[in-house]
Amino acid sequence: MQPILESLAQTDIATYLRNSRWGFAAVNTAHIFGISILFGSVLTLDLRLMGLWRKVPIAPFSYALPRIAAVGLALAVITGILLFSVRPNEYVALGIFRVKLALVSLGFLAALLAHARGSLHNDDRRQQMVMGAVSIFCWAGALICGQLIAFMA
């Protein structure tokens, strides 16, 4: 694993980001923008699943918000890899970084499972509440861990 991390840290883009205040700032801003898109759309859908706005049909939520979340996730992952490339050895050494990756993975897998099972469109309120709570836990936890990484690395 160490040779892979060293190679990543030596890429041209990693070197550029390490040495460019504005380049790093632009990628970091794009990362936060991606997280905002992801978390805002996921939180809205999860709150609907958990019972808020019951008078509003779930169909518009379940159609638009997962697509918006996917765009946010893609932007966050791409920019996250770029940010990681700047100091990969330091990030991998942080336990909180590994927790963040686990929470993002769990949140993503839970979303895939929910969509594969059609859970967004069934009438099982308990299942929807559990899905919403797990999702909020994963994505909010990942967000908090990411913020902590900024202060620990």
Side-chain angles (χ1 to χ4, degrees), residues 10 23 98 119 139:
Q10 298 307 316
R98 293 188 299 273
S119 300
W139 295 114

Side-chain angles (χ1 to χ4, degrees), residues 52-138:
L52 250 56
W53 313 298
R54 285 184 197 225
K55 292 182 179 183
V56 179
I58 199 160
F61 287 88
S62 65
Y63 176 78
L65 295 176
R67 288 163 175 79
I68 296 168
V71 170
L73 180 62
L75 181 59
V77 167
I78 291 166
T79 55
I81 291 168
L82 292 173
L83 294 171
F84 175 76
S85 74
V86 173
R87 298 186 319 207
N89 291 313
E90 289 179 46
Y91 291 130
V92 167
L94 292 173
I96 198 79
F97 177 77
R98 293 188 299 273
V99 171
K100 177 185 177 180
L101 291 183
L103 289 168
V104 167
S105 298
L106 183 59
F108 180 70
L109 290 174
L112 287 179
L113 180 63
H115 290 284
R117 294 177 64 198
S119 300
L120 298 179
H121 301 286
N122 69 28
D123 290 329
D124 185 345
R125 292 215 188 271
R126 181 178 171 184
Q127 184 181 29
Q128 289 180 341
M129 288 199 66
V130 169
M131 281 183 357
V134 167
S135 178
I136 289 172
F137 172 81
C138 290

Side-chain angles (χ1 to χ4, degrees), residues 20-32:
S20 171
R21 174 186 297 176
W22 294 110
F24 186 88
V27 172
N28 191 48
T29 299
H31 187 64
I32 292 168

Side-chain angles (χ1 to χ4, degrees), residues 7-61:
S7 295
L8 181 60
Q10 298 307 316
T11 61
D12 290 341
I13 189 72
T15 302
Y16 168 75
L17 291 174
R18 255 192 314 279
N19 296 317
S20 171
R21 174 186 297 176
W22 294 110
F24 186 88
V27 172
N28 191 48
T29 299
H31 187 64
I32 292 168
F33 189 59
I35 293 166
S36 299
I37 293 168
L38 168 66
F39 191 67
S41 55
V42 166
L43 181 64
T44 304
L45 179 57
D46 290 340
L47 290 174
R48 173 57 185 88
L49 288 171
M50 295 176 71
L52 250 56
W53 313 298
R54 285 184 197 225
K55 292 182 179 183
V56 179
I58 199 160
F61 287 88

